[in-house]
Amino acid sequence: MPGTVTVACKLPNGLHLEKIDAHGVRTRIVTLRGPMQPWGTFSPDIAHGVGLTHGVDADFFAAWMKEHADYAPVKAGLIFAAAKPEEVLAQARDRESTRTGYEPLRQEDIPRGIEVVKENA
């Protein structure tokens, strides 16, 4: 599969994908963008709860996905790709409600017995 793909990652801080040769030497690292960003900033490469990384070598990504097929985020569909950005955005829209387990705790979900401390004004 020649060419490149756009990879979507729902893991908040992204992920480093590594290729390690037969001698245990790291030969390639690709850093995937996650949906987290500094407060008050905007990135067009974050949409529908995923970070988008453009221009990832398609063969490298396919090999990485095959090698890490049992990795929980791969199995849960939190990392995926498509040849065209609009295709990966459509997939991201379909998976927008998929939870990662890293979502912030909602105030109404705080377990009983834990006291919320309010700052003095």
Side-chain angles (χ1 to χ4, degrees), residues 30-81:
V30 173
T31 301
L32 299 182
R33 177 188 305 261
M36 288 282 284
Q37 57 189 342
W39 179 258
T41 63
F42 170 77
S43 172
D45 291 328
I46 298 173
H48 305 294
V50 299
L52 301 173
T53 306
H54 305 283
V56 176
D57 180 85
D59 292 331
F60 167 80
F61 184 71
W64 188 90
M65 288 290 280
K66 183 177 179 182
E67 187 176 320
H68 295 86
D70 291 331
Y71 182 43
V74 171
K75 289 169 86 172
L78 304 179
I79 303 165
F80 51 95

Side-chain angles (χ1 to χ4, degrees), residues 8-24:
C9 178
K10 283 188 74 91
L11 298 175
N13 294 315
L15 187 67
H16 292 295
L17 309 183
E18 297 181 350
K19 177 72 173 158
I20 299 175
D21 70 11
H23 304 289

